[in-house]
Amino acid sequence: MAASHFKYFLFLVLVTLATLIVIPTTHAKLCPNYYNQVCPEALTIIKSVVQKAISRERRIGASLLRLHFHDCFVNGCDASVLLDDTPFFAGEKTAFPNNNSLRGYDVVDEIKAAVDKACKRPVISCADILAVAARDSVAILGGQKYWYPVLLGRRDARSTSWDAANKNLPPPFFSFSQLLGLFKGHGLNLKDLVVLSGAHTIGGTQCGVYRDRIYNDTNIDPTFAATLRNRCPKTGRDTILAPLDSTSNRFDNAYYTSLLFKKGLLHSDQELFKGSGSDSDKLVQLYSQNSYAFAADFGPSMIKMGNIKPLTGNNGEIRYNCRKINNF
């Protein structure tokens, strides 16, 4: 066996073993082959739609990944983030971290229509669609080493919470201790924080989000800050985008390298590396040097996040339309 093939084989073995380790027994109803009997073509169809969407606009991969994050961090991975506001409730879409920021809802609608047509009925939950679309986006933009098995069997929430979204999603100005506290509150640890933050290797963010960082932070490369100030003035142009790292259309480990040189775009990103020799610093250094280590840890952390309070069994529902509860 060639050295490169052996290295990749070893990587797959490590991912599989890590996956088995992190699956909590309380969520045993979730499994990777959940739809094999009822609609075996479902995952292939989801990947196909995601591939087409990324071919149209590569940035949409980051948007689909972010939807899964923002869903799971608010009352669990239940597709509550997809619900439109109604006269009876204000949902997560219009919460401060999401309003005019989250996108990709139309692609989710496209996926839902395609799988329901192929399966001849609504059997795939919107929550599972988000989980699979996130994984496929990572693998398409990063390559096969970033692929990981997604556990399935989630059901969709019949409620959503504007307040919960405002309280549970980490803002860009959070300190390291605030970030770690929030992650621990969701059952995630320091490694999960550093690994999952690596999702910021794709996509971009708006001037209004990173403005404080480039004008007020001291833990930032001066030339990097000056370049960004030309793009993002002290007032105005709030929606002008800047890439989150130097290879924002490719899922890789460049995000961690940027932190080593004080070029994290968000204050919360740079909080992961301060050059103090902390455990967080060491993980950033490891992932900046070894993309296989990042890939091997990213999948298990995503699976762990995907296990945050899923609805299973008779809880929730399988929505006919991801934007509204059934019979509304």
Side-chain angles (χ1 to χ4, degrees), residues 149-203:
V150 176
L151 303 185
L152 303 166
R154 301 169 189 82
R155 289 168 64 84
D156 301 322
R158 291 182 55 82
S159 62
T160 181
S161 173
W162 184 87
D163 286 334
N166 285 317
K167 292 176 182 176
N168 286 281
L169 293 169
F173 54 80
F174 256 20
S175 67
F176 175 79
S177 61
Q178 288 173 312
L179 289 168
L180 185 57
L182 181 63
F183 270 64
K184 284 185 175 180
H186 291 294
L188 303 171
N189 59 29
L190 170 63
K191 177 183 275 190
D192 298 319
L193 167 61
V194 178
V195 170
L196 294 176
S197 295
H200 281 178
T201 189
I202 52 175

